[in-house]
């Protein structure tokens, strides 16, 4: 049973606008959440993370929001750029050894 | 250059023929892990290793074996591959085990097809 879900398989956004990628989880024990970005024919690369003791973490154009009561996190990209076109995976962990990933959202940023 | 390497990158094999996918990292990382990526299922963790001779099951370990005899290497063994193991496999490593803030570095992937 998928403990981390990304319900939108794909998303298209105009360049310069905001991209919002969503992720839901079921296990309330998860205490650390991560976003990874994946280009075709490459391995995923780390993007941004957030601890469960925070509700927001920002790194440049990327911001992750965590709503623990709703078991929901989102990744905001502002402004979106064509180079952001990739598949984005959210992931969660309790132990820092076992990780649960979502199904991924394919983001296309249209120039 | 710091990297995680996997070999082979592509492999087509037949049901039941044992195979090994190698993974090596040159960063002296303590933690290593294997994942498989399937359409509609995302990335799922197969096994992970917290250090030499210390391994544990991930979410989908059935049909796979691993070993960690050296810190740099973490091979994935399919003793009797079946078509449902056709997938894209990724190896990853991070500096320390049990530290979620440590970034995982992923290899380029191995595309396996089992006929």
């Amino acid at each position: 049973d998928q403990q981390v879900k990304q319900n939108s398989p794909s998303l298209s956004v105009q360049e310069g606008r905001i991209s919002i990628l969503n992720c839901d989880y079921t296990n309330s024990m998860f205490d650390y959440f991560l976003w990874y970005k994946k280009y075709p024919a490459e391995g995923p690369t780390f993007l941004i993370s957030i601890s469960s003791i925070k509700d927001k973490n920002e790194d440049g154009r990327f911001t992750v929001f965590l709503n623990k009561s709703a078991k929901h996190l989102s990744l905001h990209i502002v402004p979106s750029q064509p180079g952001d076109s990739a598949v984005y995976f959210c992931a969660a962990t309790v132990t820092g050894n076992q990780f649960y990933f979502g199904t991924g959202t394919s983001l296309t940023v249209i120039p | 250059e710091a990297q995680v390497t996997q070999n082979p990158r592509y492999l087509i094999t037949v049901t039941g023929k044992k195979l090994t996918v190698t993974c090596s990292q040159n960063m002296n990382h303590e933690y290593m892990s294997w994942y498989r990526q399937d359409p509609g299922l995302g990335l799922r963790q197969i096994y992970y290793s917290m250090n030499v001779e210390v391994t544990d099951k991930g979410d989908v370990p059935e049909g796979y074996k691993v070993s960690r005899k050296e810190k740099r290497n973490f091979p994935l063994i399919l003793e009797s591959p079946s078509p449902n193991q056709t997938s894209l496999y990724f190896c990853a490593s991070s500096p320390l085990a049990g530290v979620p803030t440590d970034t995982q570095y992923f290899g380029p992937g191995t595309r396996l097809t089992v006929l």
Side-chain angles (χ1 to χ4, degrees):
Chain A
D1 202 20
Q2 200 90 18
Q3 296 192 47
V4 177
K5 297 178 184 177
Q6 294 173 257
N7 292 318
S8 298
S10 62
L11 175 68
S12 290
V13 170
Q14 288 289 134
E15 181 178 3
R17 307 292 282 259
I18 184 170
S19 294
I20 300 176
L21 293 86
N22 295 304
C23 180
D24 298 295
Y25 61 96
T26 57
N27 188 345
S28 58
M29 298 296 290
F30 288 143
D31 59 4
Y32 203 76
F33 304 88
L34 310 96
W35 285 93
Y36 282 82
K37 176 178 179 179
K38 184 184 179 303
Y39 292 118
E42 295 182 12
T45 54
F46 171 76
L47 188 59
I48 192 169
S49 62
I50 188 167
S51 164
S52 61
I53 62 172
K54 295 186 174 182
D55 53 20
K56 177 182 174 181
N57 188 28
E58 202 169 346
D59 183 2
R61 297 186 296 113
F62 302 91
T63 304
V64 56
F65 295 91
L66 176 62
N67 182 333
K68 286 193 297 291
S69 60
K71 294 193 182 71
H72 177 83
L73 63 154
S74 60
L75 173 67
H76 292 211
I77 306 173
V78 185
S80 300
Q81 299 173 354
D84 296 329
S85 297
V87 177
Y88 290 78
F89 291 99
C90 65
T93 184
V94 178
T95 61
N97 290 317
Q98 193 156 7
F99 290 85
Y100 296 88
F101 281 74
T103 50
T105 296
S106 178
L107 172 66
T108 302
V109 180
I110 304 162
Chain B
E1 181 191 351
Q3 59 183 349
V4 178
T5 57
Q6 296 179 226
N7 282 293
R9 294 288 312 277
Y10 302 90
L11 178 61
I12 300 175
T13 189
V14 295
T15 299
K17 186 176 181 184
K18 181 180 178 180
L19 66 93
T20 299
V21 184
T22 65
C23 173
S24 183
Q25 49 92 6
N26 63 0
M27 297 169 280
N28 200 36
H29 283 175
E30 194 171 86
Y31 175 91
M32 297 184 76
S33 184
W34 276 103
Y35 297 87
R36 60 179 288 176
Q37 182 188 355
D38 301 289
L41 296 173
L43 284 160
R44 293 179 293 167
Q45 193 173 31
I46 303 170
Y47 269 96
Y48 60 91
S49 170
M50 293 164 284
N51 214 325
V52 175
E53 303 289 7
V54 183
T55 63
D56 208 347
K57 296 177 181 178
D59 209 22
V60 287
E62 297 80 18
Y64 304 94
K65 282 177 58 176
V66 293
S67 68
R68 186 97 180 270
K69 296 190 187 330
E70 307 165 280
K71 199 170 186 179
R72 63 182 292 128
N73 296 324
F74 189 44
L76 180 69
I77 303 155
L78 285 72
E79 298 247 334
S80 184
S82 62
N84 65 10
Q85 293 178 296
T86 292
S87 187
L88 179 58
Y89 291 86
F90 290 101
C91 180
S93 72
S94 65
L96 295 172
V99 179
T101 51
D102 270 358
T103 300
Q104 284 192 76
Y105 296 86
F106 282 79
T110 294
R111 171 79 62 185
L112 172 65
T113 301
V114 183
L115 300 174

